[in-house]
Amino acid sequence: MQAKTVLSVLLVIFGTSFQSCKRNNSIVPRSDLHVPKIEEILKGNDQNLVNLLNKVRGSVGRRGAGSKTIWSRKNDYGLGLYISANHVYNISGWNSRNAQFFDLSSENLGIFETSQIPPVNGSIALGNTLIADFPLMHFNISSGATNKTLLPIEDFYLGIIDNQRAEQGPLPKYPELIKTSATLQLYDPENRTKANQTWNTSIAGEKVIAVGYPQDKTNYPNGAAAYGKILSDTEATQAIQKLKSAGDAEGDIAYNSSAEFFVEAQAIAGMSGGGVFNSDGQLLGIMVRASDNENAPKIIRVVKMSYIKSTMKDFYNSLSETDKSKIRPFINGEI
């Protein structure tokens, strides 16, 4: 289980109030753990890995103290349909634990602060440019769940990024009502967010790249990435037992093969909400939890895109035709 990965990062999940997704376990950097910066990988000798990272990195940005991943631009407006973790948004920010959507044509819940994506020109430096971020829908959240105890099965939501931008300043700025007249300008050199198949299912043994933005902006101003192996369901179940034996909190959470998969890798605080991509650049899911005990197997829990999409479709199909018409333009192409 402690197999060596090509690249690894240490994932501990924090919410917008810098809360861990664990039992209040904070990250203590280890001197023996090197976490690759995006720029280090891009300067490396593995051209296939460089090409893959360039293909996907423009889709991943900052959201509060965590990350978010643009799934698709295949909607009626060409805007960015993104996914992030509920604990990154902070579940106390939702006015209901029941699944809900927001009518972006009339509701303005948009923010600029702490919302960034890579520049359109492909520069790795985010700079001081903020981009408008609008929550679109979230799904049922257990009444007793907290930002620290959310399970992968309910730790995701969908939002929209439009083309409104502002420079960061001393005072907060807020976007206007969502703009649907201009498509999202995105660093997407191979148009992966417009591909016929923007996502795919995970395959055991497959090597994947995971991209996110650590909270440590001093050492990781431009993000970090990992390259690791997807564990089979059997290996994941075995990992749970080893985690439990090692005293890691993840050992107390059963593996849910219908909603998640494990990547044999490590990550850094703030990478939750960041995307996990296959070698074709297709989105497989988002990072939400991970082991953090030094003696435990290193695993990252990833919510499956197949589960996210089916949850979205089930919610959409439960709505009235009037309500469907309010969100359909933003998710067309991925329904």
Side-chain angles (χ1 to χ4, degrees), residues 124-144:
I124 62 172
L126 295 184
N128 295 316
T129 300
L130 306 173
I131 192 161
D133 177 311
F134 300 85
L136 177 64
M137 68 180 83
H138 75 82
F139 310 99
N140 291 324
I141 302 172
S142 302
S143 59

Side-chain angles (χ1 to χ4, degrees), residues 20 43-44 61 75 78 80 100 105 120 127 148 151 179 186 223 226 276 287-288 312:
S20 172
K43 293 177 182 177
N75 51 67
Q100 64 181 149
S105 67
V120 177
K148 297 179 183 179
L151 300 180
K179 302 294 185 183
L186 182 71
V276 177
M287 299 177 276
V288 289
M312 178 188 75

Side-chain angles (χ1 to χ4, degrees), residues 16-299:
T16 54
S17 57
F18 290 83
Q19 291 176 305
S20 172
C21 202
K22 318 297 292 179
R23 298 174 179 170
N24 230 3
N25 296 337
S26 59
I27 291 295
V28 178
R30 287 165 42 195
S31 60
D32 63 329
L33 181 65
H34 174 65
V35 181
K37 304 176 184 180
I38 282 182
E39 55 265 44
E40 291 175 334
I41 298 172
L42 294 178
K43 293 177 182 177
N45 297 322
D46 188 336
Q47 195 57 49
N48 288 332
L49 186 58
V50 170
N51 292 342
L52 177 58
L53 181 55
N54 272 323
K55 185 174 184 176
V56 305
R57 65 182 177 84
S59 303
V60 183
R62 282 200 177 111
R63 211 298 177 183
S67 304
K68 60 185 171 188
T69 302
I70 298 172
W71 166 10
S72 174
R73 287 186 290 165
K74 290 164 53 179
N75 51 67
D76 292 357
Y77 307 125
L79 301 181
L81 174 64
Y82 79 81
I83 311 169
S84 189
N86 269 323
H87 75 265
V88 168
Y89 186 84
N90 193 339
I91 57 175
S92 64
W94 302 126
N95 59 26
S96 173
R97 292 289 180 107
N98 296 324
Q100 64 181 149
F101 75 91
F102 305 98
D103 182 0
L104 299 187
S105 67
S106 59
E107 296 181 77
N108 189 355
L109 300 179
I111 62 164
F112 274 131
E113 300 303 317
T114 74
S115 173
Q116 293 183 289
I117 61 174
V120 177
N121 64 8
S123 169
I124 62 172
L126 295 184
N128 295 316
T129 300
L130 306 173
I131 192 161
D133 177 311
F134 300 85
L136 177 64
M137 68 180 83
H138 75 82
F139 310 99
N140 291 324
I141 302 172
S142 302
S143 59
T146 69
N147 288 322
K148 297 179 183 179
T149 63
L150 277 166
L151 300 180
I153 198 169
E154 57 185 11
D155 198 7
F156 57 92
Y157 76 96
L158 300 179
I160 296 292
I161 301 172
D162 74 4
N163 212 38
Q164 295 183 71
R165 287 173 166 83
E167 291 303 304
Q168 193 166 15
L171 299 176
K173 301 175 183 178
Y174 298 94
E176 298 177 8
L177 199 65
I178 195 165
K179 302 294 185 183
T180 58
S181 58
T183 60
L184 175 63
Q185 300 302 299
L186 182 71
Y187 178 64
D188 190 3
E190 297 187 36
N191 282 320
R192 64 147 298 273
T193 58
K194 295 181 178 180
N196 289 334
Q197 185 75 16
T198 56
W199 66 279
N200 214 326
T201 55
S202 56
I203 300 174
E206 182 178 26
K207 292 293 183 68
V208 294
I209 193 168
V211 183
Y213 281 87
Q215 293 173 4
D216 181 0
K217 296 180 182 179
T218 300
N219 291 310
Y220 296 92
N222 308 312
Y227 191 67
K229 184 186 77 171
I230 295 176
L231 299 183
S232 68
D233 289 344
T234 299
E235 290 173 321
T237 301
Q238 293 170 346
I240 291 292
Q241 296 305 313
K242 294 178 182 179
L243 289 162
K244 192 174 186 67
S245 297
D248 192 282
E250 296 304 313
D252 297 329
I253 302 172
Y255 172 67
N256 186 337
S257 61
S258 66
E260 66 180 321
F261 63 88
F262 283 9
V263 176
E264 189 178 51
Q266 301 175 318
I268 289 182
M271 292 183 73
S272 61
V276 177
F277 303 87
N278 65 16
S279 59
D280 291 324
Q282 295 167 321
L283 183 60
L284 303 182
I286 63 163
M287 299 177 276
V288 289
R289 297 181 66 97
S291 56
D292 62 4
N293 187 309
E294 185 173 350
N295 298 317
K298 307 307 177 189
I299 61 96

Side-chain angles (χ1 to χ4, degrees), residues 284-318:
L284 303 182
I286 63 163
M287 299 177 276
V288 289
R289 297 181 66 97
S291 56
D292 62 4
N293 187 309
E294 185 173 350
N295 298 317
K298 307 307 177 189
I299 61 96
I300 299 173
R301 290 184 186 256
V302 182
V303 184
K304 292 180 174 181
M305 278 304 305
S306 57
Y307 181 75
I308 293 172
K309 181 168 181 176
S310 67
T311 303
M312 178 188 75
K313 288 184 67 176
D314 288 345
F315 176 58
Y316 173 79
N317 289 331
S318 73

